Amino acid sequence: MSNQLMEGLSDQDFLRYSRQIMLPDIGNKGQIALRNSTVLIIGCGGLGSSVGMYLSASGVGTLIIADGDKVELSNLQRQVVYRDNNLNQNKAMAMAQQLKGLNSTIHIEVISHKLTEPELSRFINQVDVVLDCSDNLPTRHEINAVCVKHNVPLISGAAIGWQGQLMLFSNNVTENNASCYHCLFPFTESHQVQNCQSFGIVGPVVGMIGNLQALETIKYLTQPGYMKWDSIHQFDGRSLTWSSMNIPKDNQCSICSSTVSNDVSRETNAIGDICHE
Ligand SMILES: [Zn+2]
């Protein structure tokens, strides 16, 4: 282990993070683990806003944030990391500025264009976990394929209307039954892609899912044993109810299954894909 990885926390660090360091599950060791971690956040919309703010506040050492879009007036209702004066600015750049204002001690790397698959493949080996906060299905499947290929955990969030979804994939090769996003939502070129902009969305719902993505990331980086991988958790904001289920591996999945078996008894999942924000 290098000196930098073993280096302790400064007095300022102890003060800044005192309320999470005092948790026995986190402590100094967990805080140092957060500091030494790199998290890739793809998409700086409503999910990315919450994820970015909570992960920078909690002291994740390096955040790589990617988004090629500009901040629009209609974003401000739920993409709460932005301010009026960020309008028309690139989202990743504007978010980096806000996150630096929140915690100047962390390192933020900005990708101010849509992350391409080759770039993602290049970045993937530098990161401990990927957070999918993107807003369209093709991108989500591209991210999934790269994470599966490189065995990097993927924490996905999605929200539309009053509904939100949180999905957790370990992509761990040592777990034979590890499933992936494609097992849950099989995707083909002919797949009907929903247009997210034609659906309404309640700001706190997307914020809540983003917060949970941040929570799961902190858990993974400090207490990985707490993770409930290969699961989906769906929230209904009207009834305040949650439904959760394990995601079974699709033995015929073209992304995560190297062998095709005859086991096609897997149930079609009851929760349909929803638009992503
Ligand atoms: Zn799969």
Side-chain angles (χ1 to χ4, degrees), residues 137-259:
L137 267 180
T139 300
R140 300 182 83 81
H141 280 280
E142 218 169 78
I143 295 168
N144 176 63
V146 174
C147 287
V148 170
K149 186 175 172 193
H150 294 267
N151 312 124
V152 174
L154 173 63
I155 297 177
S156 271
I160 195 72
W162 298 85
Q163 307 267 318
Q165 290 176 344
L166 173 72
M167 293 151 280
L168 311 166
F169 302 99
S170 70
N171 294 322
N172 189 340
V173 276
T174 61
E175 290 171 25
N176 285 335
N177 289 323
S179 56
C180 81
Y181 186 79
H182 190 274
C183 293
L184 182 64
F185 300 123
F187 180 79
T188 63
E189 291 299 320
S190 61
H191 196 102
Q192 186 80 28
V193 178
Q194 283 181 299
N195 177 2
C196 295
Q197 293 181 348
S198 61
F199 290 88
I201 186 159
V202 184
V205 172
V206 69
M208 185 162 157
I209 298 298
N211 285 352
L212 290 176
Q213 284 181 278
L215 171 67
E216 293 304 298
T217 303
I218 292 169
K219 271 163 65 178
Y220 171 64
L221 297 173
T222 60
Q223 286 293 337
Y226 289 169
M227 298 300 290
K228 293 187 188 310
W229 291 116
D230 304 321
S231 63
I232 177 169
H233 309 269
Q234 176 146 304
F235 174 68
D236 184 294
R238 286 163 300 196
S239 59
L240 291 182
T241 52
W242 284 94
S243 57
S244 297
M245 65 176 217
N246 294 326
I247 302 168
K249 186 180 184 73
D250 177 357
N251 289 324
Q252 295 193 324
C253 175
S254 58
I255 303 297
C256 71
S257 288
S258 51
T259 54

Side-chain angles (χ1 to χ4, degrees), residues 59 67 81 130 136 179 224-225 232 234 264 271:
D67 202 313
V81 75
V130 173
N136 67 84
S179 56
I232 177 169
Q234 176 146 304
V264 289
I271 304 172

